[in-house]
Structure formats: structure tokens, C-alpha cells
Amino acid sequence: SLGTQKYCMQLSKIYGIEQSYVLVPVPAAAEHIKGLIHMRGYLAPVYNLREKLLIDEPSLSEQKQLLISETHDIFFGFEVDDVLGIQTVSETDVMEIPIVVKSDETDYLESVIRVPSADGTASEIILCISVDHIMSEVDFENIKRSLEESGNEEEEMIR
């Protein structure tokens, strides 16, 4: 969740959930990159989903969590307010993004899913985010190149 809105990502794209991490802010980083974390021997950018999705309402949680994913050969942390759990959804409850909301700016939306509400009396609509399309190909390549350069500099500094 981010604020009061629920979102989802395909479980096959999630490698883990980090509840405790040290974020190093990176001034003038690529759009929506909040900073870097050192995780399992890798430098991983932390992506600011709140900023991407234009959510300006306050977080309902003091403790943020990171959904760890890999796309375009880059490990990413996607910062969220709360991970609500894993839910199996039938194919009949997965719908395409309506044509009226499809655009270059909403390319990150993979599908819309319908799940029973918490009280079971109705259905909730949840937007499914595609980690593979959260940024443009050019942005992914620029970040990958920057991380590779950072990795080379780190090796030289250690020697």
C-alpha cells in the first residue's frame, strides 16, 4: 500500500522484502530514484513509487518497506508504506487496463485485478504495477551504466 491505496506486483518479480535498510540519498539522481542501498553485495537503487504515482497523502506507516525486484539486469528496491501480503487471483479477476487510461505515462500499469474487500461484501479494484515498464528503456540503461561505473570505482577504491 501507498497511503490509502493498494497496489500489486506479480510475485514472480519479487525476490524479497526488506524491512530494515540504510538509504544513501543521491542528489540529482535519475527521476524517481530516492537513493541507493547496499544489499547482498549489490548497489541497488531505491525507486520512489509515491513520487511516480503522484501520491502526496501522508504515509499511514512510520516504517517503510522495500519490495526487492530485478529487471533489466538491475536489482531495485521499491519503497512502499506496507506490504499487505500475498494473494492468489484467478484469471477471471485479472483485467486489461482500460483504453481510456492507457498512455506513455501509464505504461507502468500491467493490469487491474478484482479482489474481495476485507469485509467480503464487495470487490476492490487494485492496480498491478509492472516493474519491467516502471521506467523507459533509456532510463534503465542509464541507471545500469551508472551502477556499473560505481562498481568499478568501488573496486578501485578498495585496492
Side-chain angles (χ1 to χ4, degrees):
S1 67
L2 291 166
T4 58
Q5 181 65 43
K6 295 178 185 175
Y7 296 92
C8 69
M9 292 179 174
Q10 285 190 26
L11 183 60
S12 62
K13 292 300 225 173
I14 304 301
Y15 289 88
I17 300 167
E18 295 290 326
Q19 297 183 358
S20 177
Y21 55 94
V22 176
L23 177 72
V24 177
V26 178
E31 187 175 31
H32 308 304
I33 298 298
K34 193 169 183 177
L36 292 171
I37 60 169
H38 191 260
M39 176 192 67
R40 301 176 192 134
Y42 295 98
L43 285 177
V46 173
Y47 194 84
N48 189 336
L49 282 173
R50 281 181 157 277
E51 194 175 281
K52 171 72 174 184
L53 302 175
L54 304 174
I55 298 172
D56 57 3
E57 64 187 70
S59 173
L60 301 177
S61 172
E62 290 291 320
Q63 182 70 29
K64 303 275 188 247
Q65 296 177 333
L66 292 180
L67 291 172
I68 306 302
S69 183
E70 183 182 8
T71 183
H72 295 77
D73 296 323
I74 306 168
F75 278 101
F76 274 91
F78 292 96
E79 191 175 65
V80 297
D81 293 346
D82 197 13
V83 176
L84 302 174
I86 298 170
Q87 187 163 356
T88 303
V89 179
S90 72
E91 285 185 34
T92 58
D93 289 328
V94 178
M95 299 164 279
E96 287 188 31
I97 299 297
I99 193 75
V100 295
V101 296
K102 280 188 176 182
S103 72
D104 289 342
E105 288 79 30
T106 61
D107 194 36
Y108 62 88
L109 294 176
E110 185 168 50
S111 59
V112 177
I113 62 169
R114 182 179 48 224
V115 297
S117 62
D119 63 9
T121 60
S123 292
E124 288 183 271
I125 300 296
I126 298 176
L127 299 173
C128 192
I129 296 170
S130 168
V131 297
D132 295 332
H133 296 101
I134 198 77
M135 290 185 289
S136 72
E137 294 294 323
V138 171
D139 288 340
F140 279 120
E141 285 303 314
N142 288 340
I143 289 171
K144 187 175 179 179
R145 192 175 320 104
S146 294
L147 288 171
E148 287 169 353
E149 290 170 5
S150 295
N152 290 339
E153 290 172 10
E154 186 175 296
E155 286 178 18
E156 291 173 11
M157 289 173 33
I158 292 173
R159 290 183 195 160

